[in-house]
Amino acid sequence: MKALLNWLDDRTGVRDFVHEALFERIPGGARWRYVWGSTLVFAFAVQAITGISLWMCYSPSTQTAWESVYFIQNQMQGGWLLRGLHHFMAHAMVVLMALHLMQVVIDGAYRAPREVNFWLGLLLMQIVLGLSLTGYLLPWDQKGYWATRVATNLLSVVPVVGPQLQQLVVGGSDYGHHTLTRFFALHAGLLPGLLVFFLALHVALFRRHGICHKQPAKGPDAMFWPDQVLKDAVACLAVMIVVLVLVAQPVNLFLSEHRWPIETSHLGAELGAPADPSNQYSAARPEWYFLFLFQFLKLFEGGGEQGELLGAIVIPGLIMLSLFLLPFLGRWNLGHRFNVGLILILFAGIALLTGAALNEDYRKLWTDPSKFAQLPEIIDEVGTDDQKIAAHFQNDKAKIDKFQEDLIAFEKYKKSKDYLEAVEQAETEAQRVTILASTETRIPVSGAITLLRNDPKTQGPKLFAARCASCHTYAEPAATQGDAQPAKEPAAPNLFGFASRAWLKSFLDPKHIAGPNYFGNTSHRDGEMVGFVNETLKDWPAEEIQNAVMALSAEALLKRQANEDQKDLSRIEAGRKLIADAERCVQCHKFHDAGETGSAPDLTGYGSREWLVGMISNPRHQRFYGDNNDGMPAFAEHPGDSPENMLATHAIGLLVDWLRGEWYEPPDGDTQIEIASE
Amino acid sequence: MSKPSQSSTRSGPAAAPPTPRRRFLTQAGALVFGGIVCLVPTLSGLAVLLDPLRRRSKAGKFIRVATLDSLPDDGLPRQFPVIAEHVDAWNRSLEPIGAVYLRRNPGELRAHCLTATCPHLGCFVNYDDESNTFKCPCHNSMFQVDGEMIEPSPSPRAMDTLECKIENEEVLVRFQNFYTGKTDKVAKG
């Protein structure tokens, strides 16, 4: 062994090298305050190790980036841990960098002869921030996609070359495959390469100058090994423990309903729903350490392009420049104090702006909504007319000011509420897509985004809100009582549970048919059906009505009701006879072979998928309401996917599936898919 | 900041050397703690790197490859793609997973199937109709029409046969991949 070492040392001088690396003299002994630089090197080493492992599983393209990250996170052994370490160590690195910078400035380590090393440090900081920015996009989830878009869009305000610069960074005129390949090359190649290069210089210069030791010395000199190494190692251990706690997400686990078995999607770094340029994302925010820039830019709202340039590029650039000047400022008599003051003010400013950004987003959590209870009424009454406002408060200045103040607070409250709802919606979609991706059929080659786009549970409520909710409601009848009344009277029936037994039973109830949940606000209020329910049906035995309800509901073939439909076959048969009785329903309606269409909707297959698609496509058709149709538009009047149609067949299908409650739900328990691969 | 910029680090003993026991404890502590923090990322990286070892091939099902019509009983091999449900990490899709040569001898109602992968090092073997032999374009392995080796050959074994059967006028093949370069035919698991 010794001979081998001698041989090697003879040819490489390895002993000298190790000696030099380890036996650096620390004047005044090892101290905790010297650990920050080492923890940063350690953090970078962790990023390199975890990063290379992630690299082996990551696939940068718009159809595979999210998918490969999903696979790492949820299907590969230890993937969530690896990704969590990489993610949270990046956060830790930013914090450690801030501490290191503060330490260096407070201890005056930027002064001669260490100016160049100070500049190298600032350069390294830029590189690390660049790594954070590029890494945020790589999972190609909604969060990273929209936040990074904002960042790259800001590039276009750079004078003269802005648009070209942006196009170069994005790899085209818009986000796509080449945005990912570029960001990935920057994140895993160029930036780490630069980092290693400048880090080597940084450490070499640090060794050349020796540690900038704190006066007065606490004790006798010591050596880097093992005294300072021990302290450094303990500090790194502390960093690692903090990161591991963040990875384990104890808060999430505690809040989660399904605590066991722990799903990997709840551990480590978050993965949002796949990026979708067509899906609004109101929860877009940069990572917390860039929030101050985000908030700072808001100060320039209304400043137009010049304002953006100032807030996003010029002022942050000048501040960065002033950091580079610290060594020169430090030469002045009071220069060091000035510098320390500057850095403290800078950090205080960052803290304040970050706090303000968080306050804007989360203020709903600590605002009592009851103090706005009266506001909507007053706003409805007075609007924004100053005179009316004055009249309302009898010209009481104090009251008017209070009202204006409340109004602003209310606006902020609503904004925060919208933001938090958007975050919740984003989390719902993220969970949903994970469920859909974990099925046996896995993710289609076209990408996970198609899973969400074809998911009735996700798209149904959106389509309903956009196309149906201006007339219809969709709410559990019990929920509409009490204070959750819809703001305005619905003009058409409540479609919650359409064609289910409960829905039909209430429909055939004189108490409800002319109410707001059914025909109350439609022209059918005075139609024959309401008359029939009020006058004729009340004489039917309850049992017969229930049989008819069961029979009609069975026409819908609702999957949710399949068990009941199976159980009540004989009653359904009795009900069918009632409906088809020439004296009853088929007087107006058609039902299978009995009755005629033309005067009232066909009850054959009532509420079935095919029936609903037809109804939404064209309610004016003879099969449905014909000339009695009350204002419901025909959403797909023309055959096929004609561009003249208001809704594509695919969208109507999604809407119908959602109304019928038909979408994929995982079997209880394990969502992990079987491990099989070629 | 009166410290000279160039400090010689190797000369000059540390003042008041610590006791050997204390020194040992410091060294051990530094090694242990340093080791632990480096192990965490390394092990998590290793776990993910070794993940492919958990994945198993799902071979063994008969796959429809051709209709009987497309395979005349003239004793000549014909090439067909094997299209099957293929699981590739996060995707599952129907796509070509390989190719086979099918052959039916005159008057026979059974088919012979050879995989198109060369047992030497996995190149795609061509059928040369002039010489009525299989030729590998990479290292010039040659095989007879029934897959037997033509010596001398770089290939360690004959072409790999696959189980096949005829059902309802269709040819079905149990497609599998085998390790190459070995004398024995061993299926990939």
Side-chain angles (χ1 to χ4, degrees), chain B residues 114-162:
Chain B
L114 295 168
T115 167
T117 309
C118 179
H120 178 214
L121 287 170
C123 291
F124 196 112
V125 178
N126 294 328
Y127 172 66
D128 176 41
D129 50 3
E130 270 177 39
S131 60
N132 195 25
T133 56
F134 290 106
K135 287 180 177 168
C136 180
C138 294
H139 307 101
N140 302 323
S141 293
M142 280 170 67
F143 307 92
Q144 283 163 6
V145 77
D146 62 358
E148 283 308 312
M149 265 194 292
I150 298 174
E151 306 268 7
S153 168
S155 176
R157 62 172 193 258
M159 281 174 80
D160 296 316
T161 53
L162 291 171

Side-chain angles (χ1 to χ4, degrees), chain A residues 233-418:
Chain A
V234 171
C236 293
L237 187 65
V239 171
M240 188 47 101
I241 287 170
V242 170
V243 167
L244 283 175
V245 166
L246 289 169
V247 170
Q249 299 275 317
V251 181
N252 262 4
L253 286 184
F254 183 70
L255 294 178
S256 164
E257 289 163 29
H258 316 282
R259 258 172 246 170
W260 201 261
I262 301 167
E263 281 173 30
T264 48
S265 56
H266 292 156
L267 291 165
E270 192 187 352
L271 178 64
D276 184 354
S278 67
N279 188 3
Q280 71 172 29
Y281 187 72
S282 315
R285 291 290 181 273
E287 281 286 36
W288 62 265
Y289 42 81
F290 287 128
L291 265 183
F292 75 97
L293 284 172
F294 167 79
Q295 189 69 13
F296 186 65
L297 192 56
K298 284 192 193 163
L299 301 178
F300 298 86
E301 256 171 28
E305 204 177 308
Q306 296 308 314
E308 307 263 277
L309 181 65
L310 214 58
I313 293 164
V314 176
I315 296 180
L318 285 176
I319 290 173
M320 206 58 223
L321 189 71
S322 68
L323 285 182
F324 273 87
L325 295 179
L326 289 194
F328 299 120
L329 295 172
R331 287 185 183 169
W332 170 44
N333 262 352
L334 291 171
H336 179 59
R337 290 186 184 183
F338 175 83
N339 284 342
V340 172
L342 188 73
I343 207 88
L344 290 179
I345 288 172
L346 195 63
F347 277 111
I350 289 175
L352 263 176
L353 284 168
T354 310
L358 292 175
N359 184 40
E360 267 189 33
D361 283 345
Y362 293 92
R363 64 187 299 141
K364 176 183 177 272
L365 300 181
W366 47 82
T367 307
D368 177 14
S370 66
K371 75 180 194 192
F372 305 123
Q374 315 295 328
L375 274 184
E377 254 175 64
I378 306 179
I379 296 169
D380 272 353
E381 189 188 321
V382 300
T384 51
D385 188 336
D386 282 342
Q387 282 180 345
K388 276 192 189 164
I389 294 171
H392 181 86
F393 293 103
Q394 285 104 30
N395 285 320
D396 185 335
K397 184 90 174 60
K399 276 189 180 166
I400 295 173
D401 287 349
K402 169 94 174 46
F403 172 70
Q404 301 285 18
E405 224 172 81
D406 283 354
L407 213 56
I408 293 169
F410 186 47
E411 280 307 311
K412 289 184 174 169
Y413 173 82
K414 280 197 292 188
K415 260 187 86 175
S416 161
K417 188 163 160 273
D418 289 347

Side-chain angles (χ1 to χ4, degrees), chain A residues 603-642:
Chain A
L603 298 183
T604 316
Y606 181 83
S608 66
R609 189 177 197 279
E610 189 270 340
W611 191 93
L612 269 169
V613 169
M615 171 70 194
I616 294 172
S617 299
N618 187 7
R620 291 193 289 265
H621 191 277
Q622 285 301 302
R623 186 183 163 197
F624 303 103
Y625 282 93
D627 297 337
N628 291 330
N629 180 42
D630 177 30
M632 169 142 168
F635 285 93
E637 209 172 353
H638 307 280
D641 259 326
S642 160

Side-chain angles (χ1 to χ4, degrees), chain A residues 461-482:
Chain A
K462 290 185 187 178
L463 285 163
F464 188 85
R467 302 302 190 130
C468 317
S470 53
C471 300
H472 289 280
T473 46
Y474 182 87
E476 220 169 327
T480 55
Q481 278 140 32

Side-chain angles (χ1 to χ4, degrees), chain B residues 156-173:
Chain B
R157 62 172 193 258
M159 281 174 80
D160 296 316
T161 53
L162 291 171
E163 266 183 74
C164 72
K165 59 182 180 185
I166 293 170
E167 255 177 35
N168 305 326
E169 303 282 298
E170 284 178 338
V171 186
L172 287 84
V173 171

